[in-house]
Amino acid sequence: MPTTPDSTLALKAALDVSPTNIPLRLLLADTLLVLDRIDDAEKALKDGVSRTPNDPRLSIGLAKVFLKQGKYAAGVMACEGALVREDAPAEGHLVFSKLLLRSGETERAAEAYRRAVDLDGSLAEDELAGQLATHLKPNYEDIPYGDDDFDDFDDFDGRIPVSQFDQSGESPAEIERPKINFSDVGGMEAVKEEIRLKIIYPLAHADLYKAYGKAIGGGLLLYGPPGCGKTHLARATAGEVKAGFIVVGLHDVLNMWVGNSEKHLNKLFEQARRNAPCVLFFDEVDALAASRADFRHTNARTVINQFLSELDGMTASNDGVLVLAATNAPWHMDSAFRRPGRFDRISFVPPPDAPGRAAILQLHVGSKPAGNIDFAQVAKATADHSGADLKSVVDRAVEAKLQDAMKTGVPKPLETKDLLAAAKTVKPSTREWFSDARNYALYANDGGQYDDLATYLKMK
């Protein structure tokens, strides 16, 4: 079909008749991109996502648009949500790689690129491979296997990543003893109070809770835009109650050997139980707790079932095990994780408010050479900025001061004007997340789980 304005009119007319026709919508978006009508392509795909939010092709298409627009954080989030599904297109991993590379996450970009090429060799790009060359060292070992050994892995090619896992089922995890507490977390007072009610008070008043037959433990799910301090808050929670802290990432659990992922989960929970009180923190939990309906293979479902079993304490008591999890996309999680005793409380972690931004800026300036900075003024100029954005503001202000010092030979302290100048160069990354999250708060909130997000959006 020729890429002319008339062709887009024909495609739009056809889409009006069949608005859930995904191939037709993708064709329209691709045509708009060729015509350099990027904003129109974004609008068409977002409309598709609002109608069929669980189709990964639309999310990957939207990520391609974000890549062209330079909205890398939004693109990464769109890919992360889509790639947990086994029917996600291989091209999604390639788009994910490009977004990660432009976000400065070169190692993860290399992993995504390797995955894309493994799934579809035609996706190889010499220029991208060259940019990732230092992180694309061979890390696979050929091994013989029988046809019946890996029935659940359609894309298994006879190679295993020897650098990460073996057949033993071992899953090493470090137990931290965080030295930070809530005083080191700027803002987030509502979320802190939720954590106090769910986690801190039961530990501080254990006898009272036991008298009422209330177990000490349970799960709390933190969600919100990336960079707003969910991991930092979880670590501070462990420090607040002087508990051990175990961070669990995907690489700590997932293993291509059948049964090993379940063993890893069990070992992690057992380790937390032995070291209670202990905070077990699952980062990017939506990748481990995605809806079972999205998976074709039994082995993926059994990992989720094992996770649910561990949360329920089916084989051992979870008394004193505090489970926190963070996600940017709670709408991709299996609804079973929301039942009582599991992640029955879900807390929205918004971007910091003005007093919170001022506190975060003050923390990041810390012991750096600084004059009498008006943090309230800088906070006012950084609306919608995440904690990570605010750190970037301080970093850029410091870099500018260092450049001046190199020229003049005289180091000068940071001032309010330096932070204000830096703030103009850092765009708030949270706006991209909210543009996607709004659809779920408006159209997928029948159970009221996103009421706090909906309330926040009405306040904006």
Side-chain angles (χ1 to χ4, degrees):
M1 178 178 288
T3 53
T4 65
D6 288 339
S7 67
T8 65
L9 291 175
L11 288 170
K12 286 179 179 179
L15 203 57
D16 287 340
V17 176
S18 181
T20 58
N21 186 322
I22 293 171
L24 186 61
R25 189 173 292 277
L26 291 171
L27 178 59
L28 172 61
D30 288 341
T31 304
L32 290 168
L33 286 176
V34 171
L35 294 170
D36 204 30
R37 293 168 57 183
I38 300 174
D39 291 342
D40 289 339
E42 179 186 2
K43 183 179 178 181
L45 288 166
K46 282 186 174 180
D47 181 51
V49 169
S50 70
R51 296 174 185 273
T52 50
N54 293 322
D55 194 293
R57 293 171 295 175
L58 292 171
S59 297
I60 296 302
L62 193 56
K64 289 167 64 177
V65 173
F66 288 147
L67 179 63
K68 282 184 172 288
Q69 294 173 320
K71 299 178 179 179
Y72 304 132
V76 166
M77 188 182 71
C79 283
E80 286 176 336
L83 294 178
V84 298
R85 296 176 56 102
E86 292 199 2
D87 58 344
E91 184 190 15
H93 295 279
L94 184 67
V95 177
F96 192 34
S97 176
K98 293 178 179 179
L99 287 160
L100 289 169
L101 178 62
R102 285 159 178 76
S103 300
E105 298 187 59
T106 313
E107 190 169 339
R108 288 183 68 200
E111 292 176 6
Y113 177 76
R114 188 183 294 114
R115 176 66 171 161
V117 175
D118 282 348
L119 291 172
D120 184 352
S122 67
L123 294 175
E125 294 185 5
D126 291 341
E127 183 179 353
L128 181 58
Q131 293 172 314
L132 299 171
T134 57
H135 295 273
L136 284 174
K137 298 175 183 178
N139 68 337
Y140 290 94
E141 179 179 284
D142 290 331
I143 60 169
Y145 64 99
D147 292 339
D148 297 328
D149 292 339
F150 295 97
D151 292 338
D152 284 320
F153 295 92
D154 292 342
D155 57 344
F156 184 74
D157 62 357
R159 301 180 295 167
I160 60 170
V162 297
S163 61
Q164 293 184 23
F165 296 106
D166 57 27
Q167 300 179 58
S168 66
E170 293 297 323
S171 178
E174 247 180 71
I175 297 183
E176 299 178 36
R177 296 288 172 182
K179 299 186 183 302
I180 63 171
N181 53 38
F182 282 172
S183 65
D184 299 296
V185 179
M188 301 192 197
E189 296 307 322
V191 184
K192 288 178 188 174
E193 185 59 28
E194 183 84 14
I195 292 174
R196 288 188 184 100
L197 290 170
K198 179 72 176 177
I199 290 175
I200 297 175
Y201 295 157
L203 280 174
H205 306 283
D207 293 339
L208 182 61
Y209 273 70
K210 287 180 179 177
Y212 281 93
K214 183 73 172 174
I216 302 171
L220 177 66
L221 178 65
L222 306 174
Y223 79 98
C228 286
K230 295 184 286 292
T231 303
H232 185 61
L233 180 61
R235 186 171 275 108
T237 299
E240 190 79 11
V241 295
K242 296 179 171 54
F245 185 67
I246 300 175
V247 180
V248 183
L250 287 179
H251 64 281
D252 295 310
V253 176
L254 297 184
N255 189 323
M256 68 167 57
W257 293 99
V258 176
N260 272 8
S261 297
E262 294 90 327
K263 289 180 183 178
H264 290 169
L265 270 172
N266 176 257
K267 286 177 182 291
L268 288 162
F269 272 88
E270 284 298 325
Q271 188 175 13
R273 290 165 186 144
R274 288 194 303 270
N275 293 275
C278 186
V279 174
L280 194 55
F281 176 65
F282 289 87
D283 199 10
E284 297 180 355
V285 72
D286 50 291
L288 283 175
S291 174
R292 284 166 290 186
D294 294 343
F295 293 106
R296 297 192 307 268
H297 299 311
T298 302
N299 68 291
R301 295 191 186 99
T302 58
V303 174
I304 297 172
N305 290 337
Q306 180 71 34
F307 198 174
L308 293 169
S309 176
E310 296 294 346
L311 287 171
D312 289 340
M314 297 289 288
T315 58
S317 172
N318 284 336
D319 197 30
V321 176
L322 316 169
V323 185
L324 290 179
T327 177
N328 299 331
W331 29 84
H332 292 306
M333 290 181 63
D334 194 298
S335 59
F337 283 90
R338 307 279 178 78
R339 292 176 188 166
R342 297 169 182 173
F343 295 115
D344 48 2
R345 293 207 182 185
I346 175 170
S347 289
F348 173 54
V349 181
D353 56 13
R357 292 195 297 274
I360 292 170
L361 287 163
Q362 195 164 4
L363 284 170
H364 285 310
V365 169
S367 59
K368 295 176 178 66
N372 187 21
I373 296 177
D374 186 348
F375 289 106
Q377 184 181 354
V378 182
K380 188 176 179 180
T382 51
D384 294 333
H385 283 60
S386 68
D389 295 333
L390 295 172
K391 182 180 184 300
S392 182
V393 168
V394 175
D395 288 344
R396 293 195 185 189
V398 169
E399 288 170 6
K401 278 296 183 185
L402 286 171
Q403 288 179 346
D404 290 342
M406 293 294 180
K407 294 175 183 176
T408 63
V410 180
K412 294 182 179 180
L414 284 171
E415 297 179 6
T416 303
K417 63 179 181 180
D418 300 314
L419 292 176
L420 290 173
K424 292 179 181 178
T425 68
V426 179
K427 294 182 179 180
S429 59
T430 63
R431 290 175 183 169
E432 300 167 11
W433 183 87
F434 279 113
S435 67
D436 290 329
R438 187 182 301 273
N439 289 327
Y440 294 95
L442 294 177
Y443 306 115
N445 191 31
D446 292 340
Q449 64 267 40
Y450 307 127
D451 282 351
D452 45 1
L453 171 60
T455 300
Y456 181 86
L457 289 170
K458 290 174 184 175
M459 293 166 51
K460 286 172 65 65

